[in-house]
Amino acid sequence: MKNIIIFGAPGSGKGTYSDEIVARYGMGHISTGDVLRSEIKGGTELGKIAKGYIDNGQLIPDELMIDILAKTYDALPAGQGVIFDGFPRTIPQAEALKKMLAERGHELGIMLELIVDEETLMARLLNRAKEQGRADDNEETIKKRFAVYHKQTEPLAEWFQQEGIRNTFTWKGSKELMLSEIFAFLDTQK
Ligand code: ATP
Ligand code: MG
């Protein structure tokens, strides 16, 4: 499979659909949120820095994220395609990803944009708070994350549009429906 960038607001289902896509097409998966949470759990220097930003609903500085991303990408087996989940989140991150891939003779591939209304997002994140107890899944921090998303991340959709790789999928109340639309599209892309 080509590389895939899965893009959407907090709680839009990036991680959930990524797992399904990996199961169907057998590719690598980089979730920057998961990478950061495991650094925090391990009590590393990076984890300590990341925690301050995450708990406050803010983004980790671009230079740090770009460095982490390149290291994680290079540790995966080449040639199977990778799904990028949670990266890029800013225009500099997108430019850096494009450059990093080009330096390796690889391409951005396909961008999948998930559109979900904010009421559904909030309900999902509050439910996840109960199930997984993530420190940033509380109403106050979620609101900050939505604001950061609108300001810093959403404008990137237009960047992908310019690259000619933006593909939008809108939530219509059913995960199965969303998945079947995504798979129907990806089946044409292999
Ligand atoms: P979802 O629920 O769809 O998985 P999310 O936005 O809730 O999305 P993560 O992608 O797991 O969650 O990210 C959690 C936090 O980690 C972000 O709020 C941010 O602080 C930090 N983070 C993750 N990826 C990046 C990135 N590319 N750049 C900067 N910060 C990031
Ligand atoms: Mg996630």
Side-chain angles (χ1 to χ4, degrees):
M1 179 55 89
K2 297 176 188 169
N3 287 326
I4 297 174
I5 293 142
I6 192 157
F7 182 89
S12 57
K14 299 183 294 288
T16 304
Y17 298 119
S18 294
D19 290 342
E20 302 275 2
I21 291 168
V22 167
R24 185 174 173 99
Y25 303 102
M27 51 200 310
H29 178 196
I30 300 177
S31 159
T32 46
D34 287 349
V35 171
L36 295 169
R37 281 184 289 276
S38 107
E39 294 284 335
I40 293 173
K41 221 171 147 203
T44 65
E45 226 24 67
L46 170 60
K48 284 178 197 145
I49 299 169
K51 188 171 165 44
Y53 291 99
I54 293 182
D55 288 357
N56 200 24
Q58 305 298 313
L59 298 181
I60 278 74
D62 285 337
E63 314 78 69
L64 205 56
M65 279 318 298
I66 290 164
D67 192 43
I68 296 168
L69 198 271
K71 285 191 182 120
T72 313
Y73 184 76
D74 287 333
L76 289 174
Q80 293 182 332
V82 168
I83 181 157
F84 296 96
D85 158 9
F87 190 100
R89 265 177 154 92
T90 63
I91 303 235
Q93 288 183 16
E95 300 282 5
L97 178 63
K98 188 178 173 185
K99 179 162 171 276
M100 183 208 71
L101 291 169
E103 282 165 2
R104 289 155 179 76
H106 303 165
E107 288 184 345
L108 280 173
I110 306 158
M111 181 269 213
L112 307 178
E113 178 183 29
L114 309 173
I115 304 275
V116 182
D117 61 279
E118 209 146 284
E119 205 184 321
T120 303
L121 294 173
M122 179 58 91
R124 284 184 191 172
L125 292 168
L126 291 175
N127 186 50
R128 189 169 75 184
K130 284 189 214 136
E131 287 173 356
Q132 299 177 15
R134 249 175 68 171
D136 58 344
D137 282 345
N138 60 78
E139 194 161 353
E140 196 194 330
T141 311
I142 293 166
K143 284 188 180 151
K144 284 192 199 160
R145 284 155 63 203
F146 286 164
V148 165
Y149 178 76
H150 290 312
K151 184 151 189 271
Q152 295 182 259
T153 306
E154 218 171 23
L156 248 184
E158 190 55 40
W159 186 93
F160 285 105
Q161 176 92 28
Q162 298 295 326
E163 292 289 321
I165 62 169
R166 178 184 185 185
N167 302 277
T168 302
F169 297 85
T170 303
W171 174 251
K172 298 182 201 78
S174 147
K175 181 186 161 191
E176 285 64 40
L177 181 58
M178 194 79 165
L179 253 189
S180 71
E181 288 180 2
I182 292 173
F183 285 163
F185 169 68
L186 289 177
D187 284 347
T188 69
Q189 297 294 311
K190 285 186 249 177

